[in-house]
Amino acid sequence: MKAELIAVGTEILTGQITNTNAQFLSEKLAELGIDVYFHTAVGDNENRLLSVLDQASKRSDLVILCGGLGPTEDDLTKQTLAKFLGKKLVFDEEASKKLDRFFATRPKHVRTPNNERQVQIVEGSVPLQNLTGLAVGGIITAKGVTYVVLPGPPSELKPMVNQELIPALTENHTTLYSRVLRFFGVGESQLVTILKDFIVNQTDPTIAPYAKVGEVTLRLSTKASSQEEADQKLEVLEKQIRSTKTLDGKSLSDLIYGYGESNSLAYEAFQLLKKYGKTITAAESLTAGLFQASIADFSGASQVFKGGFVTYSIEEKSKMLGISLSQLEEHGVVSHFTAEKMAEGARAKTDSDYGIALTGVAGPDSLEGHPAGTVFIGIADRNQVRSIKVVIGGRSRSDVRYISTLYAFNLVRQALLQEDNLI
């Protein structure tokens, strides 16, 4: 099924409002296995809307119109669709009763004839009831094309789509199932190069990479009649991807840290800390508490996070973490030495199982001869301490700080997995 979305409203064309409905509907239709080929926006003009409908009817199986269902003269979507299909408008009984109840309970509101427009549907349509408003939607098929009319306000459109439209569309359709793999330590261009053969030859399942700040996600999608059937197909593709070698000979499996759209490195590390009953602290310089704030975002943070330190100046690094000032001056604050001593000091002072430390150059200026984006991250446990150096080039100051915390959380995640002999 080929679908297209038509947003009706001059206010969209003039930039007064953003067409967020298009994104929402495209995602919902993709989940149903319905391909959206076109997005169109048209003003509140009958002739232009008739022209768009004529074009849409020749190239799409499903045409969804959003907006223009209100009571005013410029709300003309249903009227224009009725004219295009050669049908009349009729009153929907259920929507009419809701309109009666609305004005019965609001005596100060004056009911005018144009209010009746909201409860009309194109003759022959299946009504789509409006759970949060008065304008009824509708779905009708004519000459092999299915037309849907929806209200414009997202607060009315989304409930109507979720509870009325989707059940109507899911009959006799396969569903699109997806699995999202989350990667850290590889860029989008590099990942696409590694998976070039998969991407070039893809049919079903399909592969789609998405770059995020500091990481990459890979969406695997397949059309299937059930979750079980989809899982079987997605499992085969995921195993092939995991076994693929990177450009330096490693397995891509080592760079996958989790699944899903909403999970993050911070969340994965936090869950492992809870799982293994470990506590953590942090000493932060360039990130100024961003690592600690990320931990505190999760419910139950007090189980794993005792407290931490923000030590921007060299003097506070020495005073708060018990590090020799002369040694800090000798090695510099942007160094393996300082990152490791900060991690050790923070861990010891809070008696935590792990101490993590971040020090470096957020930019835009260089520091101690190190260019912007140079970061040292130390991690200490009760037995040892180590550190890594990363260079985050070509990024803004805020991106350098954020990506630094991703590296820190990945270090924590890897340390916990190693401790449990999982990798």
Side-chain angles (χ1 to χ4, degrees):
M1 177 175 279
K2 295 182 292 185
E4 70 178 89
L5 310 178
I6 301 173
V8 183
T10 303
E11 65 274 15
I12 295 174
L13 297 177
T14 58
Q16 292 174 275
I17 65 170
T18 302
N19 184 17
T20 58
N21 290 333
Q23 179 186 11
F24 171 77
L25 283 165
S26 292
E27 291 177 344
K28 289 296 182 180
L29 292 173
E31 291 172 2
L32 299 178
I34 299 174
D35 300 312
V36 177
Y37 282 18
F38 301 98
H39 283 189
T40 303
V42 61
D44 301 307
N45 179 281
E46 182 183 273
N47 290 332
R48 287 195 286 272
L49 181 52
L50 284 171
S51 174
V52 170
L53 282 169
D54 180 61
Q55 187 177 35
S57 68
K58 295 173 181 176
R59 66 189 184 188
S60 299
D61 308 302
L62 174 65
V63 179
I64 300 180
L65 300 101
C66 308
L69 307 190
T72 62
E73 288 302 316
D74 61 353
D75 291 314
L76 43 74
T77 299
K78 285 184 287 192
Q79 292 82 351
T80 307
L81 179 61
K83 183 175 182 178
F84 177 75
L85 297 177
K87 295 181 177 293
K88 61 182 181 180
L89 291 173
V90 297
F91 289 97
D92 175 64
E93 183 178 354
E94 185 174 341
S96 296
K97 290 179 179 178
K98 183 176 182 179
L99 185 70
D100 291 339
R101 291 194 299 270
F102 176 85
F103 282 101
T105 57
R106 294 166 177 80
K108 292 185 179 180
H109 287 71
V110 179
R111 182 168 179 165
T112 55
N114 60 353
N115 290 124
E116 311 298 326
R117 296 161 61 101
Q118 295 176 278
V119 296
Q120 291 179 315
I121 59 174
V122 177
E123 183 182 24
S125 295
V126 175
L128 301 175
Q129 297 303 328
N130 193 329
L131 305 178
T132 54
L134 296 175
V136 65
I139 180 169
I140 185 172
T141 300
K143 297 181 180 179
V145 180
T146 299
Y147 300 88
V148 178
V149 291
L150 300 171
S155 61
E156 298 181 27
L157 178 141
K158 290 182 178 180
M160 185 180 290
V161 169
N162 288 330
Q163 300 186 42
E164 298 279 323
L165 179 60
I166 288 178
L169 293 178
T170 50
E171 296 178 6
N172 303 319
H173 286 296
T174 57
T175 299
L176 188 72
Y177 294 90
S178 296
R179 179 179 299 182
V180 176
L181 309 181
R182 303 184 72 95
F183 293 78
F184 182 76
V186 63
E188 182 186 24
S189 59
Q190 185 181 359
L191 185 61
V192 168
T193 300
I194 295 168
L195 298 175
K196 180 180 178 181
D197 289 342
F198 289 97
I199 295 172
V200 169
N201 299 313
Q202 65 180 318
T203 52
D204 179 36
T206 59
I207 302 172
Y210 297 92
K212 298 177 179 291
V213 177
E215 61 177 298
V216 182
T217 63
L218 201 65
R219 179 186 291 276
L220 316 181
S221 302
T222 185
K223 293 179 181 179
S225 57
S226 68
Q227 183 71 60
E228 183 180 6
E229 179 189 347
D231 286 341
Q232 291 175 353
K233 293 196 286 185
L234 295 175
E235 193 66 31
V236 171
L237 180 57
E238 182 183 338
K239 286 181 179 179
Q240 293 173 336
I241 291 172
R242 282 182 173 273
S243 62
T244 302
K245 299 297 182 181
T246 64
L247 301 181
D248 58 2
K250 296 180 181 179
S251 172
L252 270 183
S253 183
D254 296 334
L255 301 177
I256 298 174
Y257 75 81
Y259 295 89
E261 293 284 9
S262 58
N263 286 353
S264 63
L265 273 167
Y267 179 79
E268 294 293 329
F270 175 73
Q271 291 298 322
L272 287 172
L273 287 165
K274 282 179 59 179
K275 178 179 179 179
Y276 300 133
K278 301 295 183 179
T279 55
I280 192 168
T281 186
E284 300 181 65
S285 184
L286 82 157
T287 48
L290 186 57
F291 180 94
Q292 297 167 67
S294 299
I295 284 282
D297 276 342
F298 303 118
S299 176
S302 59
Q303 298 174 39
V304 303
F305 179 54
K306 293 185 173 184
F309 307 84
V310 175
T311 57
Y312 240 64
S313 71
I314 190 171
E315 292 81 10
E316 291 306 315
K317 287 179 175 65
S318 174
K319 184 193 310 180
M320 295 175 68
L321 301 172
I323 309 171
S324 165
L325 182 58
S326 61
Q327 287 185 314
L328 286 172
E329 292 171 337
E330 177 186 351
H331 293 277
V333 294
V334 186
S335 64
H336 283 288
F337 172 85
T338 299
E340 292 176 8
K341 288 298 182 183
M342 288 172 65
E344 277 186 318
R347 195 209 65 77
K349 286 185 175 294
T350 59
D351 191 30
S352 298
D353 296 306
Y354 288 95
I356 197 85
L358 300 99
T359 184
V361 192
D365 300 323
S366 60
L367 178 64
E368 298 179 347
H370 296 284
T374 304
V375 181
F376 290 88
I377 305 172
I379 183 169
D381 59 30
R382 296 186 184 276
N383 300 310
Q384 61 180 342
V385 61
R386 61 187 178 92
S387 60
I388 63 169
K389 175 185 177 181
V390 295
V391 179
I392 307 165
R395 295 285 189 166
S396 67
R397 180 178 174 86
S398 60
D399 280 355
V400 168
R401 296 173 67 241
Y402 174 71
I403 295 171
S404 297
T405 65
L406 294 184
Y407 276 99
F409 279 115
N410 197 46
L411 268 184
V412 175
R413 183 185 71 87
Q414 291 174 331
L416 286 160
L417 293 175
Q418 286 173 341
E419 184 172 300
D420 204 45
N421 295 319
L422 295 179
I423 62 172

